[in-house]
Amino acid sequence: DARVLANLVADVLANPDDEANLENVRTQITELCNKYPVYGN
């Protein structure tokens, strides 16, 4: 997952003005955050 995260950061840095790219990254980041929540229930 660290590589996925690094690739997402690279995607944003490579295309910071591409709204479709940013939305795709947001979706994938949300999935990662849901997979690894900071606080347990």
Side-chain angles (χ1 to χ4, degrees):
D1 287 330
R3 285 189 176 140
V4 171
L5 182 58
N7 285 329
L8 292 171
V9 170
D11 288 346
V12 171
L13 292 174
N15 299 303
D17 297 322
D18 182 349
E19 287 300 322
N21 178 52
L22 295 176
E23 184 59 35
N24 180 46
V25 170
R26 278 187 203 103
T27 300
Q28 291 184 59
I29 291 293
T30 299
E31 290 173 9
L32 277 174
C33 288
N34 289 334
K35 187 175 178 180
Y36 299 106
V38 175
Y39 301 105
N41 292 334

